[in-house]
Amino acid sequence: MAQLWGGRFTKQTDELVYRFNASISFDQRFLKQDIEGSMAHVRMLAKQEILTEDEQNQILAGLQGILEDVESGVLAITEEYEDIHSFVEANLTARIGEPGKKLHTGRSRNDQVALDMRLYTRDEVKETDALLKELLKVLLRIMEEHTETIMPGFTHLQKAQPITLAHHMGAYFEMFKRDRSRLHDILERMNYCPLGAGALAGTTYPLDRDYTAELLGFYGPMLNSMDAVSDRDYLIEYLSALSTVMMHLSRFCEEIILWNSNEYQFVEIDDGYSTGSSIMPQKKNPDIAELVRGKTGRVYGALMSLLTTMKGIPLAYNKDMQEDKELVFDAIDTTKGCIALFTGMLDTLSFREERMRKSAQNGFTNATDAADYLVNHDVPFRDAHGIVGRLVLRCIEEGKSLDELSLAEYREESPVFEEDIYEAIAMETCVNRRLTVGAPGRAAMEDVIKKYRKYLEGECENE
Ligand code: ARG
């Protein structure tokens, strides 16, 4: 047991208590951040003449050595240390002697862990964003290739109106674009530095908190030392953003699973992203999509868990907050893994254009356009709705689609119909006449695609 405390204790911690309390098994994940934070702290202490130049240099070299040795496998992080902070400090002192014992001057593990977690999370938010950007690139590629690929759009999972594959993909482009913008908001709000808050009430040493904040790439120091050691809002925001990403991925997976089913056959998932059955030789299952959908619950769980952990904690630091780590780490790993796998699956997905088109054609998705035709010939919309409804009923009875009815049959319902009805209800016409902003018509889609290209190329991530 290597603990940083013990002076006031008369007996050893019980083994079970020690293990229950220890966090080294999971907080070793932020060794790099712990060392980076300590280096900034030490530089500041030397600048403020709380440490000498020489002590600073020895400590910095010692910390650098620990990082390199752990990374190269020479030094192992073992469970004999209570947490990553104890591991670093004990090893530092073992390496450089007396100056090592000065590292923790003007600092508490409370502000230290708050800093480590913030640094770690800041990097992860950026990585999540980069993964989403890769996903958006794949979506844009599919959109560019499929502005003329017609498919049915659904409401209530019933065929509704014809759209294009580009349009459908564009809906997800918007969702993941908003997810990125949520991440950017979080970065803006969380980028303030807790270091220097001490245990809860700051310290009597003349620390320069602006300086450490600047060294560590923060906008500035957090302005209340009690809040600085107690705030986990940014993790809750991040878990909420991750939950939303997972919700979007899960909806998309659900659609891919449907589209890949024998009934739809709109897409074929690449063999590399499918799995077989141990008993049924014919099977090719969409397990990856199902797993992404399934893992969504786990990320929501982390959000609920942390919200619940935080709800009754009095100011300032309490050990409950150690519980933030495992669930946040798991949610981050899960979501990042899911985005990456999903991107690969989408990138290799093949689209069965003929099947999609036929499905749109056979589902009366042009019924609205048939009604609009009548409206354009001065029939009131409500009457037009009734006329086309009766035509659809006839088609259902005769097993036909609207474009298979003869002109005579059309005219039995309304004399207004002319030969040009066929042109008016052709799938291409239905789609390409929908030119309002955000609609599937090719010209409207191309405008949007141009904007998306700019967005992905541009510096400005949110436009
Ligand atoms: N392992 C602790 C955590 O994760 C570090 C802070 C410990 N602070 C304390 N006062 N015991 O929260």
Side-chain angles (χ1 to χ4, degrees):
M1 293 184 202
Q3 291 160 327
L4 295 173
W5 39 274
R8 88 171 297 295
F9 287 75
T10 52
K11 51 176 194 189
Q12 275 281 318
T13 321
D14 176 85
E15 176 65 26
L16 274 180
V17 172
Y18 180 77
R19 274 201 255 139
F20 188 66
N21 192 45
S23 52
I24 188 81
S25 63
F26 48 87
D27 65 16
Q28 56 181 278
R29 201 188 258 246
F30 45 54
L31 171 82
K32 203 177 107 225
Q33 288 77 10
D34 197 73
I35 288 186
E36 189 189 350
S38 289
M39 286 178 159
H41 182 62
V42 162
R43 287 203 170 96
M44 181 275 296
L45 291 177
K47 182 177 93 65
Q48 299 301 95
E49 296 176 353
I50 301 165
L51 292 183
T52 66
E53 200 66 26
D54 181 48
E55 286 167 333
Q56 166 194 246
N57 294 340
Q58 287 190 59
I59 295 175
L60 290 179
L63 289 171
Q64 185 61 34
I66 293 172
L67 185 60
E68 284 168 11
D69 287 355
V70 172
E71 280 175 351
S72 67
V74 175
L75 179 62
I77 302 178
T78 58
E79 305 263 326
E80 79 187 87
Y81 300 96
E82 181 187 338
D83 52 31
I84 192 65
H85 326 297
S86 322
F87 168 82
V88 171
E89 196 178 313
N91 274 279
L92 181 68
T93 306
R95 252 165 221 251
I96 66 168
E98 284 304 298
K101 297 188 197 163
K102 296 191 174 176
L103 168 65
H104 211 52
T105 313
R107 192 175 67 169
S108 157
R109 276 185 298 168
N110 297 352
D111 59 342
Q112 189 177 359
V113 78
L115 173 67
D116 291 1
M117 194 65 186
R118 219 166 254 263
L119 288 172
Y120 181 84
T121 307
R122 197 172 62 177
D123 287 347
E124 292 294 330
V125 173
K126 287 180 189 159
E127 274 184 39
T128 316
D129 179 61
L131 286 167
L132 285 174
K133 188 167 183 183
E134 290 310 304
L135 172 53
L136 288 179
K137 283 186 197 159
V138 172
L139 277 169
L140 182 61
R141 198 252 312 144
I142 299 172
M143 289 178 73
E144 287 168 337
E145 288 170 8
H146 291 284
T147 53
E148 292 182 51
T149 306
I150 289 176
M151 66 181 290
F154 297 83
T155 61
H156 314 271
L157 207 52
Q158 308 275 332
K159 292 178 197 176
Q161 291 175 340
I163 53 161
T164 64
L165 182 57
H167 192 235
H168 203 117
M169 293 295 121
Y172 284 105
F173 194 101
E174 284 291 318
M175 294 179 230
F176 294 119
K177 183 153 103 35
R178 279 196 300 275
D179 286 337
R180 292 188 73 201
S181 126
R182 263 182 278 278
L183 294 174
H184 296 169
D185 290 348
I186 294 169
L187 270 184
E188 281 302 297
R189 235 185 328 277
M190 72 173 281
N191 199 27
Y192 292 88
C193 186
L195 187 63
L200 76 162
T203 111
T204 53
Y205 300 98
L207 306 188
D208 184 347
R209 292 194 60 208
D210 287 297
Y211 184 63
T212 38
E214 195 193 316
L215 286 178
L216 293 165
F218 288 103
Y219 297 146
M222 292 179 77
L223 292 185
N224 182 291
S225 59
M226 291 180 76
D227 178 53
V229 292
S230 309
D231 168 37
R232 301 292 183 271
D233 298 7
Y234 70 98
L235 294 177
I236 290 169
E237 285 191 59
Y238 185 32
L239 289 176
S240 161
L242 293 179
S243 295
T244 309
V245 170
M246 288 302 294
M247 180 269 291
H248 289 150
L249 284 177
S250 184
R251 289 182 80 174
F252 207 161
C253 282
E254 169 67 13
E255 295 207 302
I256 289 176
I257 293 162
L258 282 174
W259 293 353
N260 189 63
S261 67
N262 296 338
E263 283 68 26
Y264 279 75
Q265 295 178 32
F266 283 5
V267 299
E268 182 160 359
I269 300 179
D270 190 75
D271 278 5
Y273 287 88
S274 308
T275 48
S277 156
S278 60
I279 173 168
M280 297 165 281
Q282 84 283 10
K283 289 275 242 164
K284 199 176 126 183
N285 295 329
D287 285 27
I288 300 309
E290 289 168 10
L291 267 174
V292 172
R293 190 179 58 184
K295 283 175 190 291
T296 303
R298 196 160 145 171
V299 178
Y300 292 1
L303 171 63
M304 288 324 290
S305 183
L306 188 57
L307 279 168
T308 311
T309 297
M310 294 305 294
K311 78 186 253 301
I313 302 182
L315 293 180
Y317 178 84
N318 296 262
K319 198 60 173 260
D320 316 41
M321 284 189 269
Q322 179 166 290
E323 283 297 306
D324 63 358
K325 288 168 204 66
E326 283 166 291
L327 53 91
V328 169
F329 294 158
D330 182 68
I332 295 174
D333 294 349
T334 302
T335 309
K336 277 170 53 187
C338 287
I339 303 171
L341 271 163
F342 184 88
T343 303
M345 180 174 71
L346 187 67
D347 202 22
T348 53
L349 198 63
S350 32
F351 296 97
R352 298 178 145 179
E353 298 176 29
E354 226 6 74
R355 290 275 315 176
M356 290 181 168
R357 191 195 164 77
K358 280 214 179 96
S359 170
Q361 195 110 35
N362 296 335
F364 305 108
T365 57
N366 48 3
T368 315
D369 295 80
D372 288 347
Y373 173 93
L374 292 173
V375 171
N376 287 331
H377 292 78
D378 277 342
V379 179
F381 181 77
R382 197 44 62 208
D383 293 342
H385 190 284
I387 293 167
V388 177
R390 286 192 292 279
L391 285 167
V392 167
L393 189 61
R394 176 171 194 159
C395 284
I396 293 170
E397 279 160 9
E398 296 176 13
K400 289 179 177 168
S401 62
L402 277 172
D403 46 292
E404 285 166 345
L405 290 177
S406 69
L407 187 57
E409 287 168 321
Y410 270 106
R411 287 193 185 235
E412 278 173 35
E413 288 300 338
S414 167
V416 172
F417 285 114
E418 299 287 347
E419 195 57 44
D420 59 354
I421 177 62
Y422 297 103
E423 165 65 22
I425 61 167
M427 290 289 119
E428 278 71 17
T429 318
C430 298
V431 166
N432 287 328
R433 285 182 55 198
R434 289 184 157 72
L435 290 170
T436 38
V437 175
R442 201 178 49 232
M445 245 1 276
E446 267 157 15
D447 280 347
V448 168
I449 286 176
K450 250 184 244 151
K451 290 200 169 98
Y452 289 174
R453 256 188 231 125
K454 265 207 196 138
Y455 159 81
L456 282 179
E457 283 160 12
E459 288 300 292
C460 179
E461 306 283 12
N462 274 329
E463 299 243 313

